[in-house]
Amino acid sequence: MAKKTTSETTTATTALEQTRVFVSETEVVLERARGALFPLEDERDIGIFTGEVWGKGEHLGMDVRWVLRFENEEFIDECVNPELAYVSGFDSKKDEVWETDFSGYTQTLDLDDREAALLATWIRSGYWLTRDCEEKRMLDVRHVRDGEEDGERVIAVKLRNDGLIVAHVYLCKNTHLPTKVEMKCCGSVETWKYTNWKTFNDGAFVFAETCEIIGSSGSTQRFDMSGFRSISSTSMFSSPLKRFDSELISMIKSNSNNNNSNNNNNNNNNSNNFSSRSSSNSINSISKEEISEEYGVEVVKCSSDHVLVRPFINGKDAGPFILDTGASGLVLDKRVADDLNLSTFGEVHVSGVSQKVKCAFRRANELQIGKLKIEKPVFMEMDVSHIVSGCAERVTGIIGFDAFKSSVVDVSPGKNKTVNIYPRGYFDDNASWPWQNVYIVSNVPHIKARFSGKGNHQTELRIFMIDSGAGGADVIFHGRAVETLDLENALLGKNEIRRTSTVRGVSGSGSSGGGEKCIKATLDWIEFENKGTRVEELKILLANGSGFDLSEFGCGMVCANILNSKRVVYDIPNRRICLLG
């Protein structure tokens, strides 16, 4: 079939607009964008849209190689550099978005993470403009407004069936191709800029040669395209079967010395691995006798609401670390990292209470907490010494998601706490406990609950982050929830005095780095999703800024005060937690 010229394609698109009955101006705008992305008219109605694009770029402050493969809505997106590697994908048969991190750990993406991954990839690949996407009714697409540039159109795109993440796509007035996409996810707005659009596959398809992702803090990731090719329909898009395992995470056997640096570097035969690397070492083969042994972790006392534990890095005492479910990874003080001569690479911007904090990565050979051993751990370099009060030693780091993701963490209530870290599956026989379903957003656990006060939140479940590192309150509601749920009027009398408190968090520099001003209030009760688990007489904070707002689905966080009053079992591999007592 002879190829159409650009002028012929434009004429065909205009004729289509004149003859087709459009429901709204949105369809006119979309038809022009579709004609620009698929210049050949016979390609626009193709049933299977497949391709593979690849190139180089910069991600997390490092040079990377990347490849994106797609077949209609399914995709696999890989990003690899010498230090870190991430792979994500969408398996339509299971309706599952998944991600594998640099340690080989694979998990299902929930809520904000799921929606953002689908929207960003479908827009980047061009699937959002295909007939297949339209016929399957995957997206809710509407024309919002004209952009700041003359003639620029802005299209709002979100998932159907109550999608909350909205991607605003800016279309060029001349080419009708996307120039940028703005999307709020996990508390901040990211901007995806597309430049240097080029035709591929004999003029059938147009793809942006350069994609830049600019964070709200100014961080920039760049992906430069090197090539494109069509691919045959395959089963490559099936999600991985292996879950909640990593070759780098294991449990040390009882006859190992927890603090013995001679065992810290390479002897994998002395550990019960969570992974399927060896069937004799897998968690499924651990005997009841082994499981009944002690899995205690040394706890360091402090006067604040934090839980402090003592890990060992490369066989050496690293000082007190905060055990923090609200931390998406591991954090280490620069002075300790330098003393241990840990390698430095890349950069990442971490969300604090009121700002983003720029950090370098540091890598160790091994991290040990109790009998949990993590090989080649990656830390974010940050000063957290100002967060905890009443500790005789300088607090030097944070133990976050890396320790929770493949084990079971059991924390007792009260000042004289005990912390135990068990192998995955340790509480599988305790199905009758009041387990609460967990949803992971940005590697932080969230649960559902309803709460007292005027409004439908007494019956309607809301989503809360579980943040054991946030002290000073039982619950904190972020500013967006305070406004949309009218919580100030629901929980405080009209003439009641508004007492305030300022919550401070990490800054990366040893100072408080500002904070979020909150109004003090009380709740009669909060009741969690399953089995009537309820906590009464709560001290809460109502924020009036953007701090604490890390999920479009969430309304706030359950904090250390509640968590310290209960025995809490964090069974993240089974996506559940339990509050006992």
Side-chain angles (χ1 to χ4, degrees):
M1 179 177 177
K3 300 291 189 295
K4 289 183 176 66
T5 65
T6 303
S7 61
E8 289 173 331
T9 301
T10 303
T11 301
T13 302
T14 304
L16 179 60
E17 293 174 7
Q18 292 173 345
T19 57
R20 182 177 173 183
V21 177
F22 288 94
V23 175
S24 67
E25 185 183 5
T26 301
E27 292 196 17
V28 177
V29 175
L30 289 177
E31 196 62 42
R32 288 173 176 167
R34 188 175 291 117
L37 194 66
F38 303 99
L40 302 183
E41 185 177 344
D42 55 338
E43 293 290 336
R44 296 173 206 162
D45 298 314
I46 191 168
I48 299 180
F49 174 53
T50 67
E52 178 181 88
V53 290
W54 65 90
K56 298 180 180 179
E58 183 178 342
H59 180 244
L60 297 176
M62 296 171 282
D63 292 337
V64 296
R65 293 178 291 106
W66 61 270
V67 59
L68 171 63
R69 303 178 182 91
F70 53 87
E71 179 180 314
N72 289 346
E73 70 269 35
E74 295 190 309
F75 62 83
I76 292 181
D77 190 3
E78 300 180 44
C79 186
V80 180
N81 65 55
E83 296 288 347
L84 302 173
Y86 296 92
V87 185
S88 61
F90 176 53
D91 183 342
S92 65
K93 298 176 185 63
K94 298 179 181 177
D95 191 28
E96 179 186 35
V97 182
W98 55 271
E99 179 184 66
T100 301
D101 68 14
F102 61 89
S103 72
Y105 173 87
T106 297
Q107 63 176 328
T108 300
L109 298 186
D110 298 323
L111 304 176
D112 303 60
D113 294 336
R114 170 189 168 86
E115 293 195 7
L118 291 175
L119 289 173
T121 307
W122 287 349
I123 293 171
R124 185 181 174 199
S125 70
Y127 175 70
W128 73 292
L129 287 172
T130 63
R131 297 294 186 204
D132 184 80
C133 183
E134 182 181 38
E135 292 170 359
K136 291 178 179 175
R137 298 176 62 81
M138 308 290 284
L139 299 172
D140 180 4
V141 183
R142 58 189 176 88
H143 175 218
V144 178
R145 64 182 188 274
D146 293 331
E148 295 179 359
E149 299 293 333
D150 183 31
E152 186 179 53
R153 299 298 180 91
V154 184
I155 299 291
V157 183
K158 67 176 185 176
L159 300 183
R160 285 190 180 272
N161 301 323
D162 301 321
L164 292 187
I165 305 298
V166 179
H168 290 97
V169 185
Y170 290 72
L171 300 174
C172 175
K173 64 178 180 178
N174 297 319
T175 67
H176 308 296
L177 291 167
T179 59
K180 67 178 179 180
V181 175
E182 291 180 343
M183 181 164 55
K184 183 182 179 184
C185 179
C186 301
S188 62
V189 176
E190 286 189 341
T191 300
W192 299 57
K193 289 188 175 181
Y194 300 100
T195 55
N196 302 327
W197 289 86
K198 292 188 175 181
T199 58
F200 294 91
N201 202 25
D202 296 326
F205 176 59
V206 178
F207 199 89
E209 191 175 41
T210 299
C211 172
E212 283 186 296
I213 306 174
I214 303 170
S216 60
S217 62
S219 62
T220 301
Q221 324 293 333
R222 192 190 75 256
F223 300 93
D224 297 320
M225 178 183 178
S226 301
F228 169 87
R229 68 176 181 178
S230 296
I231 58 176
S232 301
S233 178
T234 68
S235 59
M236 72 170 65
F237 301 101
S238 298
S239 57
L241 296 176
K242 180 180 174 183
R243 298 303 167 93
F244 313 121
D245 286 325
S246 170
E247 299 290 332
L248 303 179
I249 302 176
S250 59
M251 294 295 287
I252 297 174
K253 280 190 175 180
S254 58
N255 58 4
S256 296
N257 184 350
N258 287 357
N259 302 338
N260 189 349
S261 61
N262 293 328
N263 295 332
N264 280 339
N265 293 323
N266 49 36
N267 192 354
N268 291 328
N269 292 326
N270 287 337
S271 64
N272 288 320
N273 298 323
F274 292 103
S275 69
S276 58
R277 174 168 46 179
S278 168
S279 59
S280 62
N281 282 335
S282 70
I283 186 63
N284 295 325
S285 67
I286 296 178
S287 68
K288 291 292 184 181
E289 289 74 18
E290 289 176 303
I291 282 182
S292 65
E293 293 174 358
E294 180 65 36
Y295 285 92
V297 176
E298 182 179 348
V299 176
V300 181
K301 289 188 176 181
C302 65
S303 61
S304 61
D305 296 319
H306 299 90
V307 179
L308 302 182
V309 296
R310 188 180 301 280
F312 289 78
I313 299 176
N314 294 350
K316 297 182 179 180
D317 182 349
F321 276 48
I322 305 168
L323 186 66
D324 187 359
T325 59
S328 61
L330 303 170
V331 174
L332 182 61
D333 188 291
K334 183 180 187 301
R335 283 185 277 184
V336 177
D338 289 343
D339 288 344
L340 293 172
N341 197 28
L342 303 189
S343 62
T344 305
F345 61 92
E347 66 179 34
V348 65
H349 290 73
V350 180
S351 295
V353 170
S354 61
Q355 63 182 356
K356 292 276 189 177
V357 180
K358 183 179 177 180
C359 309
F361 290 110
R362 307 297 293 264
R363 188 189 291 278
N365 294 327
E366 180 185 292
L367 169 68
Q368 187 175 322
I369 318 158
K371 292 185 180 179
L372 178 70
K373 182 171 73 171
I374 303 175
E375 299 176 59
K376 300 180 181 179
V378 173
F379 298 86
M380 295 171 282
E381 180 186 281
M382 190 186 311
D383 187 339
V384 296
S385 60
H386 60 283
I387 296 177
V388 176
S389 61
C391 181
E393 304 174 66
R394 177 185 172 89
V395 176
T396 54
I398 296 175
I399 298 296
F401 186 70
D402 296 55
F404 290 88
K405 66 185 183 182
S406 292
S407 64
V408 181
V409 181
D410 187 352
V411 183
S412 71
K415 288 293 183 182
N416 297 317
K417 290 186 177 301
T418 60
V419 175
N420 291 275
I421 300 181
Y422 299 107
R424 177 170 60 86
Y426 187 81
F427 289 108
D428 281 0
D429 293 337
N430 298 81
S432 62
W433 284 10
W435 293 103
Q436 308 300 321
N437 297 320
V438 164
Y439 310 87
I440 302 294
V441 178
S442 294
N443 287 344
V444 175
H446 292 64
I447 63 174
K448 292 182 178 180
R450 54 181 66 88
F451 55 93
S452 62
K454 301 174 184 177
N456 63 2
H457 40 262
Q458 295 189 56
T459 55
E460 183 175 338
L461 289 167
R462 308 285 179 176
I463 292 179
F464 292 83
M465 179 198 303
I466 297 295
D467 191 350
S468 64
D474 293 302
V475 175
I476 299 176
F477 291 92
H478 58 57
R480 180 167 51 85
V482 172
E483 181 179 354
T484 57
L485 300 178
D486 195 23
L487 292 181
E488 186 175 343
N489 291 324
L491 301 176
L492 294 169
K494 183 177 181 180
N495 298 319
E496 189 172 346
I497 297 175
R498 269 51 174 170
R499 295 179 173 84
T500 62
S501 175
T502 299
V503 180
R504 305 185 185 277
V506 297
S507 69
S509 61
S511 63
S512 63
E516 183 81 0
K517 193 172 183 180
C518 303
I519 297 173
K520 295 180 179 180
T522 59
L523 272 182
D524 291 336
W525 52 265
I526 185 170
E527 183 175 282
F528 299 107
E529 180 180 15
N530 296 326
K531 300 191 177 182
T533 301
R534 176 181 283 206
V535 181
E536 298 180 341
E537 299 181 4
L538 308 173
K539 295 180 180 180
I540 69 169
L541 296 175
L542 307 177
N544 60 8
S546 60
F548 314 110
D549 191 355
L550 300 181
S551 169
E552 292 299 292
F553 289 82
C555 67
M557 58 180 66
V558 173
C559 304
N561 284 18
I562 283 183
L563 301 174
N564 285 341
S565 69
K566 304 285 182 180
R567 176 189 173 190
V568 185
V569 179
Y570 302 95
D571 189 355
I572 300 304
N574 283 321
R575 288 294 189 269
R576 61 183 188 172
I577 72 168
C578 188
L579 287 81
L580 298 167

